[in-house]
Amino acid sequence: KAGVTQTPRYLIKTRGQQVTLSCSPISGHRSVSWYQQTPGQGLQFLFEYFSETQRNKGNFPGRFSGRQFSNSRSEMNVSTLELGDSALYLCASSLTSSTFYEQYFGPGTRLTVT
Amino acid sequence: AQKVTQAQTEISVVEKEDVTLDCVYETRDTTYYLFWYKQPPSGELVFLIRRNSFDEQNEISGRYSWNFQKSTSSFNFTITASQVVDSAVYFCALSEATKTSYDKVIFGPGTSLSVIP
């Protein structure tokens, strides 16, 4: 079974730009969650999607948004990038809910904002 | 509110030593789930174990064992006879579940384990 894939793996953007990250979950998994990982803040929950609906949202500004498609693939968008958005963005999939089931993580997208 | 504490920021052990990683959690729910994940230097988090709040049985999987104690709100992880491949950051995580809502998973700050050959 193929694992969670994320594209791109690395990205360099400048302040003010926007970026879209993509995540393909494990086949059959319907829940996709996104996390931001930084040395200072650790792993912080961004949002979770299930059946194309946002189920939960973390404490991030509105510049961070996401969506999920009918095939469970998900995208995350960050608009008006700031230096502090530099981080590893991790996507995770689980069977139906990250609350009840273990999550399988992708390799992450390393975003650098200059 | 949910909270997960991993008081040990970094631990170094010599190969073949046993090591215990501590995890203390806070929750007001009676139904919740606890998880451990491993993040090796390659960066990809790997699921290790899931435990629900109604199952206090300890679990052993090879060299790994977990001790769940609701009385002290702890879910500790022990690696027996550690190996260099165990070097990684280990995260404890908590999610609360009610009948009508789902809640997000909260991760602890992680414990960085270095196993020295």
Side-chain angles (χ1 to χ4, degrees):
Chain A
K1 213 178 209 181
V4 177
T5 58
Q6 290 187 246
T7 56
R9 293 291 310 279
Y10 302 92
L11 209 47
I12 300 175
K13 291 284 188 178
T14 56
R15 271 182 303 176
Q17 288 186 313
Q18 76 163 18
V19 66
T20 299
L21 311 182
S22 181
C23 171
S24 292
I26 290 173
S27 177
H29 284 194
R30 296 168 64 191
S31 164
V32 174
S33 298
W34 288 89
Y35 295 86
Q36 181 195 66
Q37 187 176 27
T38 59
Q41 299 297 319
L43 269 164
Q44 292 188 285
F45 172 79
L46 280 156
F47 24 66
E48 179 182 10
Y49 285 88
F50 177 79
S51 291
E52 303 177 64
T53 301
Q54 188 180 88
R55 176 182 278 164
N56 280 307
K57 190 176 192 306
N59 191 23
F60 277 82
R63 300 185 297 107
F64 291 81
S65 63
R67 60 177 175 168
Q68 185 180 35
F69 302 94
S70 58
N71 61 359
S72 294
R73 190 177 70 85
S74 177
E75 287 183 347
M76 191 193 99
N77 185 276
V78 187
S79 62
T80 319
L81 284 165
E82 301 178 359
L83 294 178
D85 297 333
S86 294
L88 180 66
Y89 289 89
L90 294 164
C91 165
S93 76
S94 59
L95 204 56
T96 57
S97 165
S98 63
T99 300
F100 303 110
Y101 293 97
E102 60 270 23
Q103 297 181 79
Y104 293 86
F105 283 80
T109 295
R110 173 76 62 186
L111 172 64
T112 302
V113 182
T114 61
Chain B
Q2 303 164 277
K3 187 177 179 182
V4 177
T5 302
Q6 294 179 258
Q8 306 147 308
T9 306
E10 293 181 9
I11 301 177
S12 283
V13 298
V14 176
E15 202 170 18
K16 296 184 184 174
E17 284 184 348
D18 299 348
V19 58
T20 296
L21 310 183
D22 298 332
C23 172
V24 174
Y25 61 92
E26 290 178 29
T27 176
R28 285 179 286 192
D29 268 11
T30 55
T31 304
Y32 52 89
Y33 291 80
L34 294 162
F35 306 84
W36 275 94
Y37 290 88
K38 171 183 179 180
Q39 187 175 36
S42 59
E44 199 162 323
L45 274 91
V46 176
F47 164 77
L48 294 176
I49 190 171
R50 174 184 66 145
R51 180 52 50 87
N52 74 54
S53 52
F54 299 108
D55 182 3
E56 283 193 77
Q57 268 196 326
N58 292 329
E59 180 153 341
I60 298 174
S61 175
R63 296 184 298 107
Y64 295 170
S65 62
W66 290 268
N67 184 297
F68 177 28
Q69 291 196 337
K70 285 176 77 169
S71 59
T72 56
S73 297
S74 65
F75 186 41
N76 296 337
F77 172 33
T78 297
I79 302 175
T80 302
S82 59
Q83 300 176 1
V84 173
V85 293
D86 296 326
S87 298
V89 180
Y90 291 86
F91 293 93
C92 180
L94 163 72
S95 68
E96 296 170 337
T98 67
K99 291 179 183 176
T100 58
S101 72
Y102 300 90
D103 210 343
K104 56 187 178 289
V105 179
I106 298 296
F107 283 79
T111 295
S112 178
L113 173 66
S114 295
V115 181
I116 304 163

